[in-house]
Amino acid sequence: MATDRLIKTAELAVLLRKTPAAINTMRHRGKGPRGFRAGREVLYPVAEVEAWLAAKVANDPLAQRATSS
């Protein structure tokens, strides 16, 4: 993970089109990508975010239906 690029909560919020508060809520409920605290910031490895997004797409029945035509 040392070579992974890290993004902050605000950057993840922009990527997911959510508010930073929504990202924090997702994290506390265990519904978002895994991140870790570094001082006052929560950082998210880009590889973790990409894996989380891929899993969300793989488990979405509408996404599966759209690609199986």
Side-chain angles (χ1 to χ4, degrees):
M1 186 170 84
T3 61
D4 277 348
R5 184 168 168 263
L6 303 172
I7 59 175
K8 295 180 179 182
T9 301
E11 295 169 306
L12 181 59
V14 169
L15 177 70
L16 298 181
R17 297 181 182 175
K18 304 269 185 201
T19 64
I23 299 298
N24 288 333
T25 300
M26 290 168 58
R27 181 172 177 270
H28 288 288
R29 291 182 179 169
K31 303 286 184 184
R34 291 192 301 170
F36 63 92
R37 277 209 171 273
R40 291 185 155 184
E41 294 284 344
V42 177
L43 300 176
Y44 298 88
V46 172
E48 288 284 341
V49 173
E50 290 172 346
W52 176 79
L53 286 170
K56 295 292 279 183
V57 170
N59 292 325
D60 182 1
L62 292 178
Q64 296 305 313
R65 194 170 66 184
T67 59
S68 64
S69 57

